[in-house]
Amino acid sequence: MRSSKQRASENNRSISGQMYTLHQRLYHALNLGTSRFYDDNTRKWQSTDIEIQRHVVRSIAAFLDSISGDTIHHPLVKDSVSDMVGALVGILQYRNGSMLNIAANVVEKLVNILPNSIIVQCMGRSYPHSVQVEGFRLAQCLVRNEENCLKLLSLFGEPIVNAIVSEMRKQNSLSGKAANDQLSLLREACRLALITRWAGKHHIYFWKQGIDSVLLGLLLEDFHDNLYQHFLSLKEQMSIAQQVLSSNYLHALRGYIWDILGWLATHCGEDFNPKAHGNELHLNILITCSCWFFVDTIRKWCQICENDVVDAVKSEPASRAVLMMIFSPCKYIALRARSTLYEILKPNGKEYLKHVLHTLSYTASGSNLGMPNVLKLVINLIGLTCYSVLPQYQRHVIKGEGIKTLLVLVKWFLENDVHIGRLSFAPHLLFPFHERSCCWVSTEDWEGKDIPLLYSLWVLAELMHNSGSGRNILDIFAGETAYTEAELVSKLQKICIDTSTPGLRWYAAYVLSYFGAYGFPSKIEKRIGKGLNEKEYVDMHLILTNGDSLSVHGVVLAVKCPSLLPSKELHLDENTFDGSSVRDFTRKSCGELRKEIRLSAHVDHQALMKLLEYVYWGYLRAGEELVKKLKTLAKRCNLQPLLQLLCRKSPKWGTPFPSSDLSLALGPAGLPFSDIILEAKATELMCWTCSFCSLSVPHMHVHKVILWSSCDYMQALFQSGMQDSYSQTIKVPVSWEALVKLMDWFYSDKLPNPPTGCLWDNMDTKEKLCELQPYVELCWLAEFWLLEDVKEACSDVIGSCLDSARYLSIKIIQIAANFSLWKLAEVAASYMAPLYRQLCDSGELEALDEMLVDMVRAASVRLSQEGGSNSR
């Protein structure tokens, strides 16, 4: 037999000497850390020394760079993957700010260089247990948010799903000494299976792999695929559910099981047929088990008045799964869940409903929202939502003052600064990478951190949906003390404008539709809306068949409702009706270029006016008769979000909240309608080329109507009759970087932020000052242009950056003084105050004017008098 040295020598012949050297250096670096075994029998590489971590990451990167197409399948590479993965996972989990970005880049390099087979193989049975665990954990790191997840799944979706399901199928082999190893792998596989929270093609792969049977196998001990192949009555299914409830089998995984089931139901297609992908009975049993668990939770709370946190924590995932299935877009799942829940509730459903309403009413009247009460509140809100879709109980909910209770709850949550996200009561979701890690930020979940408020609005919407006519809805508010109708409408509009949680905003807009307000209010549209009834800078006329015309701005339509504009293929004199929109495009010169778009007789004048109200303001008000006409027009104009509200369809989980952003107008879409150029200050080092024109100085093609509606200074300038009011170019006395940020605010109501976390920390002083300079410029310009919101936003950015890098204050105070921004100079002085003595001793203050030195000295004295420390 050949010795191991001989085999290694033969293997090494096919690789370069440099690659072999880099491989040796890699393992030398890895040996500087330690590999420890934990209670779950997983081995983890670790080192708390940042320099060792940095050395390991660089060694991995160098070795990866040496891999070529000829060597990618070499045993040396394959055998090194698990160790590299383990080290990267250990470093990422250590969560050191200076290392996260570097390690993340190497993870991306590893994924890009190594074929998907190797990545997925790390999770496969051919590798040792510790390697499999690290493979699953690395995959979890790579799918932290929707964008990254879908990108990875587009490349390796089916192999990853196959690896997950393959591991979840191994539950029947949980026995003996290896049980703990297998359980830890099962947990990691279930955690990775939470990629079902996002819609995508991977759902098809899960169903194709028989995920319903797999999940049932994780609930039932001694389950196999051939079990329950024949018909079982609901009574027999309920008996199985009772057995599952009484069993402790894989209890630690149940939170994942219910979450996966809920997400699968949420993103299931309308016409999904379980028979086509697996055993229909298995899915039915899962539905029955979740409904049984949910009802059993309410039953227990009716019998005992104890706040059992542990019991509530265990109950929430199953309760939530029932909610997701009841509102599933899949007809089969939704109908099955509703009918099953109704049958299980039959014996005591009215009694349980009374308890739910009483509990919610008691909670609404108090202020004690400790963890037990939060969980009970959430689960009872889920319960009331489920009751509200069962016709047999809707009347009892209304009669039991359910709406009054909900309005009190909504008012309490809006008036008190209480924010509750699911992570606070779903411990199985806690994961080292779930929250923000330095510059790697997880996007906010659709349900966000106001779950009780979201569920309250959800129930309210369902009750209003089932209350019948608009008259009945108005009667609901007769004598209501929590909110008048006008007050509630105002609060809901504020939610749409001021919050960032998509789900909460969607349900606020959905409830508003029952008050005749349809749309998605936003801050920027409150500004742009002023242009609807003004003739300023109009460049288009919509002509109806009766000769009436409506004046509009092409740039607004181009972004918000492009279906109303002629397509590029239309000739100037062409008269067309394509079934979705009718337009005759003619161009006439009327002092300035204006376009006339002739609409068909199918377009109602009043409906068109309301549609334009939505386009400009973001929402509209309309009665039921006008809504009928608007549905047709909204459909032809492809305004799907508006059409959904007009039809009062419940929001689909995960749907993004419609954007009011007009930033597209700064690109090719808005160029044909640009009527003014803003020119920034040029610098000697800047080489400028425009994609749209031949101007060689930094500039932007923008639109007077946007500037006019958003800035009082611009409005006055354009109407002043001065030379600048007629000029096609306005020189803006700020840098190009500042101008770009300013236009972002004009067109999106958002001011871009500088880099944060380790990206900011790793910059040198000069780079940080370059990042802050545009914000100082905009603070100055905002005073001149009367843009208080911009000034406040810039001041907040500068203050936040100085808070993390006080040594920048000595530079910022001088820059602020140069712009005569004395309030900003005072802010910089306050950050310098604790360092005053060091700055004096080092001589750094000598570079400042005496007035600025006095300002810092005064700030230091105030700090001392207030009890702060200005010691060295």
Side-chain angles (χ1 to χ4, degrees), residues 43 46 126 162 165 187 248 361 379 456 531 628-629 760 767 777:
R43 188 183 67 176
Q46 66 176 23
S126 61
N162 291 348
V165 176
R187 183 182 291 109
N248 286 322
S361 178
I379 294 175
S456 298
K628 295 177 183 177
K629 299 177 182 179
W760 171 259
E767 290 172 324
E777 294 179 57

Side-chain angles (χ1 to χ4, degrees), residues 492-732:
L492 293 174
Q493 289 177 335
K494 186 173 176 60
I495 290 175
C496 290
I497 293 172
D498 292 342
T499 60
S500 60
T501 304
L504 186 59
R505 298 173 76 187
W506 256 114
Y507 270 97
Y510 183 41
V511 173
L512 280 170
S513 69
Y514 289 94
F515 296 100
Y518 303 88
F520 312 92
S522 68
K523 288 182 180 178
I524 188 170
E525 283 162 330
K526 289 179 70 174
R527 304 197 312 252
I528 304 303
K530 294 185 294 185
L532 177 58
N533 297 317
E534 296 289 339
K535 301 298 182 183
E536 299 292 341
Y537 316 113
V538 163
D539 55 4
M540 282 192 172
H541 297 293
L542 304 180
I543 312 297
L544 288 95
T545 53
N546 64 0
D548 291 344
S549 68
L550 296 173
S551 301
V552 294
H553 303 86
V555 63
V556 178
L557 294 188
V559 176
K560 302 300 293 295
C561 189
S563 296
L564 276 176
L565 296 178
S567 63
K568 294 179 180 179
E569 292 77 17
L570 288 177
H571 297 294
L572 298 182
D573 59 350
E574 185 170 314
N575 221 335
T576 310
F577 176 36
D578 61 8
S580 63
S581 57
V582 185
R583 298 157 303 205
D584 178 20
F585 179 59
T586 61
R587 181 176 296 176
K588 296 183 178 180
S589 178
C590 303
E592 57 184 22
L593 183 67
R594 297 196 178 191
K595 300 173 184 176
E596 292 184 355
I597 303 174
R598 297 192 178 275
L599 307 176
S600 82
H602 296 81
V603 178
D604 179 80
H605 183 277
Q606 191 179 10
L608 179 60
M609 288 181 63
K610 284 295 177 182
L611 187 79
L612 291 175
E613 187 178 319
Y614 169 78
V615 169
Y616 276 78
W617 286 98
Y619 70 98
L620 60 89
R621 285 187 168 274
E624 293 299 323
E625 288 301 315
L626 186 53
V627 165
K628 295 177 183 177
K629 299 177 182 179
L630 276 167
K631 288 179 183 178
T632 302
L633 191 55
K635 185 176 182 180
R636 289 179 174 176
C637 290
N638 198 31
L639 297 174
Q640 292 301 321
L642 174 61
L643 181 61
Q644 181 174 340
L645 292 183
L646 292 171
C647 296
R648 287 177 179 157
K649 292 184 178 179
S650 181
K652 185 179 184 302
W653 194 283
T655 304
F657 192 76
S659 173
S660 58
D661 196 333
L662 296 173
S663 296
L664 284 175
L666 292 171
L671 184 62
F673 311 101
S674 175
D675 51 6
I676 193 166
I677 291 174
L678 297 185
E679 187 179 305
K681 287 194 305 186
T683 63
E684 295 180 1
L685 299 177
M686 181 175 287
C687 181
W688 180 264
T689 302
C690 180
S691 303
F692 306 132
C693 72
S694 59
L695 280 179
S696 59
V697 294
H699 65 277
M700 298 185 76
H701 297 266
V702 296
H703 310 85
K704 285 185 177 180
V705 64
I706 305 296
L707 304 182
W708 172 87
S709 60
S710 305
C711 177
D712 291 342
Y713 170 82
M714 281 294 182
Q715 188 174 132
L717 175 65
F718 292 151
Q719 296 173 347
S720 67
M722 298 170 60
Q723 183 178 352
D724 280 351
S725 65
Y726 299 106
S727 175
Q728 294 300 306
T729 301
I730 295 179
K731 295 183 183 295
V732 184

Side-chain angles (χ1 to χ4, degrees), residues 317-334:
S319 305
R320 187 173 181 274
V322 173
L323 178 70
M324 307 291 260
M325 289 189 291
I326 280 179
F327 286 91
S328 171
C330 173
K331 295 178 182 178
Y332 179 90
I333 293 177

Side-chain angles (χ1 to χ4, degrees), residues 198-454:
W198 294 302
K201 193 175 180 180
H202 56 291
H203 280 260
I204 297 175
Y205 303 143
F206 275 105
W207 287 112
K208 184 179 177 181
Q209 288 290 324
I211 187 63
D212 47 349
S213 301
V214 172
L215 292 176
L216 190 57
L218 294 175
L219 287 175
L220 290 169
E221 196 168 7
D222 299 324
F223 173 82
H224 53 82
D225 287 347
N226 294 325
L227 191 64
Y228 306 129
Q229 289 288 331
H230 305 291
F231 173 81
L232 288 178
S233 67
L234 180 59
K235 184 175 181 180
E236 291 172 311
Q237 293 178 38
M238 290 162 61
S239 176
I240 294 172
Q242 179 59 53
Q243 294 175 25
V244 173
L245 182 64
S246 304
S247 170
N248 286 322
Y249 179 65
L250 296 180
H251 212 279
L253 300 182
R254 288 192 177 172
Y256 299 110
I257 296 169
W258 298 130
D259 274 6
I260 295 166
L261 178 62
W263 291 127
L264 289 168
T266 296
H267 299 298
C268 209
E270 182 178 352
D271 298 320
F272 171 80
N273 181 3
K275 293 181 180 178
H277 295 281
N279 190 317
E280 178 184 5
L281 183 57
H282 292 172
L283 178 58
N284 291 345
I285 295 174
L286 284 172
I287 293 173
T288 303
C289 286
S290 59
C291 290
W292 187 271
F293 273 48
F294 169 52
V295 173
D296 184 72
T297 299
I298 299 177
R299 177 189 62 79
K300 288 179 181 177
W301 288 349
C302 287
Q303 294 176 355
I304 56 174
C305 297
E306 295 181 4
N307 292 328
D308 188 343
V309 178
V310 175
D311 183 65
V313 167
K314 294 177 182 177
S315 304
E316 187 271 342
S319 305
R320 187 173 181 274
V322 173
L323 178 70
M324 307 291 260
M325 289 189 291
I326 280 179
F327 286 91
S328 171
C330 173
K331 295 178 182 178
Y332 179 90
I333 293 177
L335 289 174
R336 184 76 193 186
R338 295 179 189 201
S339 61
T340 300
L341 180 61
Y342 170 69
E343 292 297 329
I344 295 175
L345 281 170
K346 254 186 179 179
N348 302 294
K350 292 181 182 178
E351 177 189 344
Y352 296 163
L353 175 59
K354 289 180 181 178
H355 179 79
V356 167
L357 289 170
H358 172 76
T359 302
L360 290 174
S361 178
Y362 175 78
T363 304
S365 63
S367 59
N368 179 20
L369 276 181
M371 184 51 65
N373 286 338
V374 166
L375 277 165
K376 290 192 73 171
L377 172 63
V378 168
I379 294 175
N380 278 293
L381 283 171
I382 290 174
L384 191 57
T385 311
C386 295
Y387 268 112
S388 69
V389 299
L390 301 178
Q392 301 86 348
Y393 293 99
Q394 289 164 1
R395 180 173 58 86
H396 298 287
V397 174
I398 301 291
K399 187 177 179 180
E401 296 188 328
I403 291 183
K404 177 181 178 180
T405 299
L406 288 168
L407 290 175
V408 173
L409 280 172
V410 168
K411 183 175 183 179
W412 192 89
F413 280 112
L414 288 176
E415 293 180 352
N416 293 273
D417 191 24
V418 177
H419 302 285
I420 301 169
R422 192 160 182 246
L423 276 180
S424 62
F425 52 77
H428 66 284
L429 297 178
L430 292 174
F431 174 55
F433 295 97
H434 194 96
E435 296 180 347
R436 175 176 177 149
S437 300
C438 192
C439 61
W440 199 350
V441 184
S442 295
T443 54
E444 187 171 27
D445 289 335
W446 195 78
E447 57 195 328
K449 296 182 179 179
D450 294 288
I451 285 183
L453 178 56
L454 170 62

